[in-house]
mmCIF file of all heavy atoms in Angstrom:
data_model
loop_
_atom_site.group_PDB
_atom_site.id
_atom_site.type_symbol
_atom_site.label_atom_id
_atom_site.label_comp_id
_atom_site.label_asym_id
_atom_site.label_seq_id
_atom_site.Cartn_x
_atom_site.Cartn_y
_atom_site.Cartn_z
ATOM 1 N N ALA X 209 -7.024 21.300 -29.304
ATOM 2 C CA ALA X 209 -8.088 21.730 -28.390
ATOM 3 C C ALA X 209 -8.795 22.998 -28.879
ATOM 4 O O ALA X 209 -9.910 23.284 -28.452
ATOM 5 C CB ALA X 209 -7.510 21.976 -27.003
ATOM 6 N N SER X 210 -8.148 23.760 -29.751
ATOM 7 C CA SER X 210 -8.669 25.067 -30.165
ATOM 8 C C SER X 210 -9.920 24.937 -31.014
ATOM 9 O O SER X 210 -10.116 23.954 -31.727
ATOM 10 C CB SER X 210 -7.595 25.836 -30.942
ATOM 11 O OG SER X 210 -6.446 26.025 -30.156
ATOM 12 N N ASN X 211 -10.777 25.962 -30.949
ATOM 13 C CA ASN X 211 -11.987 25.982 -31.762
ATOM 14 C C ASN X 211 -12.304 27.409 -32.192
ATOM 15 O O ASN X 211 -11.587 28.354 -31.830
ATOM 16 C CB ASN X 211 -13.159 25.335 -31.024
ATOM 17 C CG ASN X 211 -13.502 26.061 -29.730
ATOM 18 O OD1 ASN X 211 -13.825 27.249 -29.734
ATOM 19 N ND2 ASN X 211 -13.430 25.345 -28.606
ATOM 20 N N THR X 212 -13.391 27.572 -32.934
ATOM 21 C CA THR X 212 -13.709 28.873 -33.534
ATOM 22 C C THR X 212 -15.079 29.415 -33.145
ATOM 23 O O THR X 212 -15.582 30.325 -33.781
ATOM 24 C CB THR X 212 -13.645 28.764 -35.069
ATOM 25 O OG1 THR X 212 -14.521 27.706 -35.494
ATOM 26 C CG2 THR X 212 -12.239 28.479 -35.564
ATOM 27 N N SER X 213 -15.671 28.880 -32.099
ATOM 28 C CA SER X 213 -17.001 29.338 -31.707
ATOM 29 C C SER X 213 -17.178 29.251 -30.207
ATOM 30 O O SER X 213 -16.718 28.298 -29.562
ATOM 31 C CB SER X 213 -18.074 28.480 -32.391
ATOM 32 O OG SER X 213 -19.354 28.738 -31.854
ATOM 33 N N MET X 214 -17.876 30.225 -29.646
ATOM 34 C CA MET X 214 -18.160 30.199 -28.214
ATOM 35 C C MET X 214 -19.079 29.032 -27.866
ATOM 36 O O MET X 214 -19.049 28.524 -26.736
ATOM 37 C CB MET X 214 -18.776 31.532 -27.773
ATOM 38 C CG MET X 214 -18.866 31.707 -26.277
ATOM 39 S SD MET X 214 -17.307 31.423 -25.381
ATOM 40 C CE MET X 214 -16.347 32.856 -25.872
ATOM 41 N N ASN X 215 -19.876 28.582 -28.816
ATOM 42 C CA ASN X 215 -20.704 27.393 -28.571
ATOM 43 C C ASN X 215 -19.823 26.171 -28.350
ATOM 44 O O ASN X 215 -20.065 25.362 -27.449
ATOM 45 C CB ASN X 215 -21.645 27.153 -29.756
ATOM 46 C CG ASN X 215 -22.712 28.220 -29.867
ATOM 47 O OD1 ASN X 215 -23.151 28.787 -28.870
ATOM 48 N ND2 ASN X 215 -23.142 28.522 -31.084
ATOM 49 N N ASP X 216 -18.774 26.027 -29.179
ATOM 50 C CA ASP X 216 -17.843 24.904 -29.021
ATOM 51 C C ASP X 216 -16.996 25.079 -27.761
ATOM 52 O O ASP X 216 -16.623 24.086 -27.112
ATOM 53 C CB ASP X 216 -16.938 24.793 -30.252
ATOM 54 C CG ASP X 216 -17.702 24.378 -31.494
ATOM 55 O OD1 ASP X 216 -18.764 23.732 -31.352
ATOM 56 O OD2 ASP X 216 -17.253 24.702 -32.608
ATOM 57 N N HIS X 217 -16.671 26.307 -27.444
ATOM 58 C CA HIS X 217 -15.894 26.607 -26.235
ATOM 59 C C HIS X 217 -16.572 26.003 -25.005
ATOM 60 O O HIS X 217 -15.922 25.348 -24.181
ATOM 61 C CB HIS X 217 -15.792 28.130 -26.090
ATOM 62 C CG HIS X 217 -15.094 28.597 -24.839
ATOM 63 N ND1 HIS X 217 -13.723 28.646 -24.729
ATOM 64 C CD2 HIS X 217 -15.574 29.039 -23.638
ATOM 65 C CE1 HIS X 217 -13.392 29.103 -23.528
ATOM 66 N NE2 HIS X 217 -14.508 29.348 -22.852
ATOM 67 N N GLN X 218 -17.878 26.193 -24.902
ATOM 68 C CA GLN X 218 -18.609 25.731 -23.726
ATOM 69 C C GLN X 218 -18.824 24.219 -23.705
ATOM 70 O O GLN X 218 -19.188 23.665 -22.665
ATOM 71 C CB GLN X 218 -19.962 26.447 -23.652
ATOM 72 C CG GLN X 218 -19.832 27.946 -23.466
ATOM 73 C CD GLN X 218 -21.160 28.660 -23.575
ATOM 74 O OE1 GLN X 218 -21.988 28.622 -22.670
ATOM 75 N NE2 GLN X 218 -21.379 29.327 -24.695
ATOM 76 N N LYS X 219 -18.588 23.559 -24.845
ATOM 77 C CA LYS X 219 -18.710 22.102 -24.911
ATOM 78 C C LYS X 219 -17.384 21.401 -24.648
ATOM 79 O O LYS X 219 -17.342 20.180 -24.505
ATOM 80 C CB LYS X 219 -19.229 21.692 -26.294
ATOM 81 C CG LYS X 219 -20.636 22.197 -26.616
ATOM 82 C CD LYS X 219 -21.010 21.852 -28.054
ATOM 83 C CE LYS X 219 -22.371 22.448 -28.427
ATOM 84 N NZ LYS X 219 -22.701 22.193 -29.855
ATOM 85 N N ALA X 220 -16.308 22.179 -24.601
ATOM 86 C CA ALA X 220 -14.973 21.604 -24.424
ATOM 87 C C ALA X 220 -14.811 21.036 -23.014
ATOM 88 O O ALA X 220 -15.442 21.508 -22.066
ATOM 89 C CB ALA X 220 -13.912 22.666 -24.697
#
Side-chain angles (χ1 to χ4, degrees):
S210 301
N211 61 59
T212 55
S213 169
M214 191 52 71
N215 291 329
D216 292 335
H217 176 81
Q218 297 173 75
K219 296 175 184 176

